[in-house]
Amino acid sequence: MLVTSLWRLTLLLLIIVAPQTSLSDVSSSSDVIIVKNSKLYGNIKKLDSDGIEFETIYGHGAITIPYLDIESIASIREFRFILESGENVRCHIFVIGDAYLLVDDFQSVKRRLRFDEIRIGVPERAYNRSYWTRFRYRYPYWSGSLDMGLNFEKGGTDKKKIEIGFESNRRKKPTRFLFSGRYAYEVQGTTDTPEVTTKDEFRVFLLGEYDVAKSWFLFLMPAAEWDVPRGIELRTYPATGIGYRFSETANSLLQVMIGPAYVWEEFTEFGENDYTSVFLGCEGRYRFPKGISIGGYVYYYPDLSGFGDNWLFRTELN
């Protein structure tokens, strides 16, 4: 408490003597930043390697301001930073420099946080909002989803269906890993006929990427599936190659991939089949406000020896 009180007194004195800000500019619930000689009043919502997400008092909605456009910051609130190294830093913001933030870590020790080492920074109050909020910020490189659906129909044809899907994504530059799988099972029957399995299929793949330039990356993707009603006992279709990202932000992703691939499949009635292929892929995701998101992929594997002889097409939207 003593260290915190001394820090607040020191910062208020700095604000008083600073020519661009005054004591009346700052309160415990508002922040002030100066951009191109103009003062903006509001709240810092988030910081990352690119800039500050700032919500002004003049309206709803946040704007992103690059660090290079910011001349000074005034705030007496506590912040929590998660660095690219995984380090967790609780601090106050003192000064913004040419390529760093000067912060105080509550031990009277000032340190510089380079812009490019900041994974995310949020107000301490937002960080401690709930257990799940802290969990999400402590593991900022990971994201995932799990969905399950049950369907029961009673009528001329009775149906019972279950579907389970999962996805885990880890992005820490220069690498990205995506693990995804989906299983579906369905039976149908009537009062006069026994139940028949109409769906028993499973699909899984692991996508690994490594950045080699700003938008270019190398990838490796092993994948496998089975589909019992269609007589596919096992099918594997690994691919590798190069990809290009048109867009990658915290809320969006759009990229394409191309490279050599191989398809091997075993059918219940027809035996084995295999062919060398070229892999063509596209993946996109977008997260809307309030947690709503949409994403999917399209993968195409045509046979190099004859595009009409063999081909594999996979798509998913969720």
Side-chain angles (χ1 to χ4, degrees):
M1 292 297 295
L2 179 60
V3 173
T4 302
S5 300
L6 290 175
W7 185 92
R8 289 177 180 270
L9 178 61
T10 303
L11 180 57
L12 290 175
L13 290 174
L14 288 173
I15 294 171
I16 291 173
V17 300
Q20 66 270 36
T21 59
S22 66
L23 182 61
S24 61
D25 288 332
V26 185
S27 71
S28 60
S29 60
S30 66
D31 310 312
V32 179
I33 64 175
I34 296 182
V35 180
K36 299 179 180 179
N37 296 320
S38 298
K39 292 181 182 179
L40 297 179
Y41 301 84
N43 291 288
I44 296 174
K45 308 296 287 185
K46 186 180 71 173
L47 305 93
D48 57 24
S49 60
D50 297 322
I52 293 177
E53 188 176 292
F54 192 78
E55 186 175 56
T56 68
I57 63 174
Y58 313 110
H60 296 286
I63 57 175
T64 300
I65 306 174
Y67 288 119
L68 295 179
D69 293 339
I70 301 174
E71 299 172 16
S72 69
I73 301 175
S75 175
I76 62 175
R77 295 194 295 162
E78 301 172 8
F79 286 83
R80 181 77 64 149
F81 287 88
I82 308 295
L83 306 184
E84 290 289 353
S85 63
E87 184 181 0
N88 190 316
V89 180
R90 180 186 172 202
C91 60
H92 290 94
I93 300 175
F94 259 107
V95 179
I96 183 170
D98 293 335
Y100 63 88
L101 293 173
L102 182 64
V103 302
D104 186 301
D105 64 359
F106 293 92
Q107 300 297 325
S108 298
V109 177
K110 296 179 179 61
R111 59 180 292 184
R112 294 182 178 185
L113 301 182
R114 299 193 321 272
F115 299 151
D116 59 3
E117 70 174 335
I118 298 175
R119 173 68 178 182
I120 190 170
V122 294
E124 180 70 12
R125 193 176 210 179
Y127 177 82
N128 285 311
R129 187 169 296 154
S130 68
Y131 169 80
W132 291 111
T133 302
R134 293 192 297 273
F135 183 85
R136 180 162 52 92
Y137 286 131
R138 285 173 184 170
Y139 301 94
Y141 309 111
W142 290 89
S143 63
S145 64
L146 176 66
D147 57 90
M148 183 176 70
L150 298 172
N151 182 38
F152 298 94
E153 296 184 20
K154 194 76 172 176
T157 300
D158 298 337
K159 296 181 181 180
K160 302 174 186 177
K161 180 179 179 181
I162 181 173
E163 188 166 351
I164 302 173
F166 62 88
E167 183 176 288
S168 178
N169 186 24
R170 185 182 189 273
R171 175 58 164 153
K172 183 180 180 182
K173 295 180 180 179
T175 62
R176 174 178 179 249
F177 295 97
L178 174 65
F179 183 55
S180 179
R182 185 164 295 275
Y183 176 73
Y185 182 81
E186 181 183 75
V187 294
Q188 296 183 12
T190 67
T191 56
D192 301 324
T193 60
E195 288 187 341
V196 177
T197 300
T198 56
K199 185 172 290 189
D200 182 359
E201 58 186 45
F202 177 68
R203 184 188 309 171
V204 63
F205 71 84
L206 173 65
L207 174 61
E209 301 173 357
Y210 187 86
D211 299 342
V212 293
K214 182 178 180 180
S215 299
W216 295 92
F217 62 91
L218 302 176
F219 76 89
L220 176 65
M221 189 179 74
E225 64 181 39
W226 78 65
D227 191 334
V228 175
R230 295 173 57 196
I232 303 173
E233 294 189 3
L234 181 63
R235 174 187 282 142
T236 61
Y237 40 101
T240 187
I242 191 168
Y244 181 84
R245 293 191 188 94
F246 294 98
S247 172
E248 184 186 26
T249 67
N251 295 317
S252 66
L253 172 69
L254 180 61
Q255 63 183 34
V256 294
M257 297 170 283
I258 186 172
Y262 176 76
V263 178
W264 177 89
E265 47 199 4
E266 183 176 2
F267 296 92
T268 304
E269 298 182 1
F270 307 108
E272 297 182 6
N273 180 51
D274 69 292
Y275 58 91
T276 303
S277 170
V278 59
F279 170 77
L280 303 172
C282 179
E283 181 185 355
R285 302 176 187 278
Y286 188 80
R287 181 181 293 110
F288 296 92
K290 301 186 183 300
I292 301 174
S293 63
I294 185 173
Y297 60 83
V298 177
Y299 298 153
Y300 181 48
Y301 296 76
D303 189 346
L304 285 179
S305 62
F307 277 66
D309 296 336
N310 294 288
W311 55 270
L312 180 64
F313 185 76
R314 287 290 172 263
T315 182
E316 184 170 312
L317 180 66
N318 49 46

